Amino acid sequence: MVRYFIKKLITLVVLLLLVSITVFSVLYVLPGDPAQIILGLNATEETLANLRAELGLDRSFWVQYLGWIGDILSGKGSWSINYDMPVYDLILSRLAVTGPLALMAMLIGIVISVPLGIYAARHQNRPGDMIVMFFTQLGLATPEFWLGILLILLFAVKLGLFSAGGFPGWSVDVWGSLKALLLPAFALGVIRASILTRLTRSSMLDVLREDYVRTARAKGLRERSVVYVHALKNALVPVLTILGLQLGQLLAGAIIIENVYYLPGLGRLVFQAIGQRDLPVVREIVLFMAAAVIIVNFLVDMAYASIDPRIRLE
Amino acid sequence: MKKYFTNLNFSLGFALSFVVIAMAVISFAWTPYKPNAMNARHRLEAPSISHPLGTDQYGRDTLSRVMVGAVNSIVVGLVTVAIGLSLGVLLGLISAYYGRWADESIMRFSDLLFGFPAILTAILITSILGPSAINAMLAIGIFYIPVFARLTRAVSMTLWEREFVAAARASGASEWAITIRHILPNILSPLIIQGTIQFAVAILAEAGLSYLGLGAQPPHASWGRMLNEAQTFMDISPWMAIFPGVAIALAVLGFNLLGDGLRDTLDPKMVKVR
């Protein structure tokens, strides 16, 4: 286990390093001069040169890269051009929207998918299963932003139960903020539920064929306790790993839905920052999101390896 | 052919994709109205006999625009899958055959790409290169390279250990000849299946990008962009927000089912790679 852990840890560090270099170099070649953006079109060549020197834009690629990484590792981070505040603070304030949104979406996804997946597995190839499977296909084919628009159409425009977007802020109105996240979380959650239902079903089907399930049945246990006590626990292992991966993806994947609902989340922040050429913000958020995905993948690998010794020997 | 059509997934998927493709093909020769023709007197109309799916804020006919949008989506599907297939299969074959550092570096490269959140990176790429249909396709296609590379690698690695490859080797065939004559034909069906599914994924992804304004630029019709425009007029004309979305969902459903149906019939034992 220790050897496997070290090997994976080295891969993790190398990968993070490569990601940071990629992010930095991609944005390094981005057209648009940050100094020009800050000072506007009327700035003289001399003031531009001064600002470039002040921002360190005149130094070589590697010097700039190392300076950037150093700032990030020391917890200082960079400074946003547009918001004139530390990018770390910006990320934290936006994470207060995207984080709960992703968690709510996951929760909705689980509540829908686990019972449906178990139901479908227990009724394999019967009409109930086929109906569930059809709806999951439909869910996989529906763009989540369109579902978001349809929900606005129904609940905000027609029924007037929700507002069509916006976010009051946690410190102003906790209940209103929760309500503002409900529709987008539902749109994200329903789509995630399609994948999770299919996964729960297939994993449950695998487990129900195992010997220990047959033993449990042979012992005369009630069907309910066979399914919910013995089988479910094991069937949920792969579902949990996918949940972990999905959570990482959701942090980044909420970009479009945040735009549909005008939510001041991480995705909308980075989307606007790209448009405004606010490089320090874009750079750090892309790095943050990619690192989140990679680190979650690593943790999932570790969790798997500690459960299943066969993986470490590969 | 009969074995395909007894499969429910395949039949349904075939029918839906056929409708989408037919819509696109017909739109070259005929649409009810010119897709970009504005008509100030018929703005934001509900569906009627003269405009079966209604009109948009400029009085353009939604049915005509949905038809032309199908062309856009199909082109996106074709181009992105072509990018992924051409480079991915090549890298996958190299990876499976050479092993060692070639394999290691290609696989780490694909880990790297998978590490980046796809939507975010696609947004980044399109805004660096400038928003356009072609750049959106590039941005999506890049993520398909590791998908096909992994699939090709996984399937062809098992093939290199099979007896018929050993036999070909013993009879003096060069590695290159074995790759072309024995490996490629045998990885064809998993590639077709994966290709169909990625085709569907591309339609979905492009819709998201063009919703954000990063895909096909106006006045060209694309389903995602139509939904974006619809959102502004939702309280006056809810119809605008319905039909382009239905088109996306049906197209994606169609190609997904087609892929599943092909998997059931072509290759029941296919290994699923990501």
Side-chain angles (χ1 to χ4, degrees):
Chain A
M1 186 70 197
V2 176
R3 251 190 76 195
Y4 179 80
F5 175 76
I6 292 172
K7 201 181 134 205
K8 279 281 167 185
L9 195 66
I10 293 172
T11 324
L12 173 79
V13 172
V14 171
L15 209 54
L16 283 175
L17 213 66
L18 283 177
V19 165
S20 70
I21 294 174
T22 315
V23 170
F24 194 83
S25 47
V26 164
L27 292 171
Y28 189 76
V29 299
L30 187 77
D33 176 2
Q36 187 98 59
I37 291 165
I38 298 172
L39 293 175
L41 289 169
N42 298 322
T44 61
E45 199 46 53
E46 198 192 337
T47 45
L48 281 176
N50 283 337
L51 186 65
R52 275 190 212 115
E54 196 190 313
L55 294 172
L57 294 170
D58 54 346
R59 284 176 290 172
S60 77
F61 173 81
W62 288 107
V63 173
Q64 287 191 41
Y65 169 76
L66 288 176
W68 176 62
I69 279 295
D71 280 350
I72 284 177
L73 292 179
S74 68
K76 208 170 100 203
S78 4
W79 194 269
S80 160
I81 298 174
N82 255 301
Y83 298 89
D84 200 25
M85 62 188 284
V87 179
Y88 274 173
D89 293 352
L90 260 180
I91 292 183
L92 279 181
S93 71
R94 299 307 183 97
L95 206 54
V97 177
T98 304
L101 175 67
L103 283 177
M104 276 165 78
M106 270 333 340
L107 211 67
I108 291 169
I110 296 168
V111 169
I112 297 174
S113 63
V114 171
L116 273 184
I118 296 172
Y119 173 84
R122 292 187 62 191
H123 297 79
Q124 194 194 3
N125 294 334
R126 276 184 271 163
D129 176 32
M130 283 167 152
I131 292 170
V132 171
M133 282 296 103
F134 179 75
F135 274 100
T136 62
Q137 280 285 7
L138 214 55
L140 288 178
T142 307
E144 55 200 20
F145 66 91
W146 183 51
L147 185 60
I149 292 175
L150 290 182
L151 291 174
I152 296 178
L153 202 58
L154 180 64
F155 289 103
V157 177
K158 291 276 171 220
L159 301 175
L161 294 173
F162 288 84
S163 66
F167 187 76
W170 294 111
S171 53
V172 180
D173 181 0
V174 174
W175 171 238
S177 303
L178 265 180
K179 211 175 144 190
L181 294 183
L182 199 60
L183 288 185
F186 190 75
L188 288 173
V190 168
I191 303 297
R192 294 298 175 296
S194 309
I195 306 163
L196 292 175
T197 304
R198 297 174 80 86
L199 196 72
T200 311
R201 174 181 178 271
S202 69
S203 157
M204 196 72 192
L205 282 174
D206 284 347
V207 171
L208 285 177
R209 285 191 205 103
E210 295 276 345
D211 288 339
Y212 66 84
V213 170
R214 195 184 315 144
T215 312
R217 282 199 179 121
K219 274 199 311 196
L221 287 183
R222 268 178 310 168
E223 183 64 17
R224 194 181 295 163
S225 83
V226 171
V227 172
Y228 292 99
V229 179
H230 292 252
L232 185 62
K233 215 166 32 183
N234 291 294
L236 284 184
V237 174
V239 180
L240 282 177
T241 55
I242 295 295
L243 270 179
L245 299 182
Q246 291 264 338
L247 195 64
Q249 292 285 354
L250 259 181
L251 284 180
I255 292 184
I256 302 182
I257 208 82
E258 282 175 3
N259 272 289
V260 174
Y261 284 88
Y262 304 105
L263 293 175
L266 215 48
R268 200 165 154 76
L269 173 68
V270 70
F271 181 62
Q272 288 171 334
I274 292 173
Q276 298 156 339
R277 293 284 183 266
D278 193 347
L279 288 195
V281 174
V282 179
R283 223 180 249 155
E284 234 161 89
I285 296 184
V286 175
L287 181 67
F288 170 78
M289 286 177 170
V293 173
I294 292 170
I295 290 172
V296 170
N297 284 2
F298 168 77
L299 293 177
V300 167
D301 272 356
M302 285 300 115
Y304 246 154
S306 64
I307 298 170
D308 189 346
R310 283 171 300 185
I311 293 170
R312 333 194 256 269
L313 294 173
E314 259 180 29
Chain B
M1 220 43 206
K2 200 183 150 204
K3 85 169 175 188
Y4 292 109
F5 283 99
T6 49
N7 182 294
L8 184 67
N9 280 342
F10 183 87
S11 312
L12 208 63
F14 185 85
L16 282 174
S17 344
F18 183 80
V19 170
V20 175
I21 294 172
M23 209 156 68
V25 171
I26 293 171
S27 81
F28 282 110
W30 174 83
T31 50
Y33 295 83
K34 283 209 180 92
N36 296 332
M38 302 186 190
N39 186 340
R41 272 191 300 171
H42 295 278
R43 294 169 61 229
L44 300 169
E45 275 181 12
S48 62
I49 296 179
S50 53
H51 294 283
L53 305 185
T55 60
D56 70 2
Q57 74 272 31
Y58 300 115
R60 297 177 297 194
D61 178 53
T62 302
L63 176 60
S64 309
R65 291 182 70 73
V66 166
M67 285 173 74
V68 176
V71 178
N72 178 57
S73 288
I74 289 171
V75 170
V76 168
L78 286 176
V79 172
T80 51
V81 172
I83 295 174
L85 268 179
S86 52
L87 289 169
V89 171
L90 186 69
L91 289 178
L93 287 174
I94 293 174
S95 196
Y97 172 58
Y98 287 103
R100 295 166 184 257
W101 65 267
D103 183 30
E104 191 63 27
S105 50
I106 289 171
M107 285 303 112
R108 286 296 86 78
F109 160 74
S110 72
D111 282 349
L112 183 69
L113 262 182
F114 278 133
F116 281 97
I119 308 171
L120 179 61
T121 316
I123 291 172
L124 205 58
I125 293 173
T126 41
S127 43
I128 291 173
L129 301 176
S132 76
I134 294 174
N135 292 338
M137 291 183 229
L138 269 180
I140 300 166
I142 288 176
F143 283 94
Y144 284 5
I145 300 172
V147 173
F148 286 104
R150 277 170 186 243
L151 178 66
T152 307
R153 172 180 179 268
V155 184
S156 49
M157 281 219 311
T158 61
L159 287 173
W160 277 104
E161 313 200 329
R162 295 274 292 277
E163 274 109 8
F164 68 91
V165 172
R169 216 177 237 164
S171 65
S174 71
E175 311 287 0
W176 183 236
I178 294 175
T179 303
I180 297 290
R181 228 174 290 150
H182 301 286
I183 306 287
L184 261 183
N186 280 297
I187 61 174
L188 215 54
S189 53
L191 285 179
I192 292 172
I193 294 163
Q194 192 70 36
T196 317
I197 291 168
Q198 298 306 132
F199 192 99
V201 175
I203 294 179
L204 212 51
E206 193 271 346
L209 284 178
S210 57
Y211 172 81
L212 293 175
L214 299 171
Q217 294 299 303
H220 287 288
S222 77
W223 294 338
R225 194 168 187 101
M226 290 170 79
L227 286 176
N228 181 330
E229 290 168 5
Q231 213 182 337
T232 322
F233 302 97
M234 215 155 41
D235 39 353
I236 319 168
S237 176
W239 300 106
M240 275 174 72
I242 307 273
F243 296 114
V246 172
I248 299 171
L250 288 184
V252 177
L253 183 66
F255 287 104
N256 265 339
L257 288 175
L258 195 65
D260 282 1
L262 284 172
R263 171 155 41 215
D264 297 343
T265 41
L266 275 179
D267 194 353
K269 294 181 308 232
M270 180 189 159
V271 257
K272 224 180 162 185
V273 185
R274 279 186 89 122

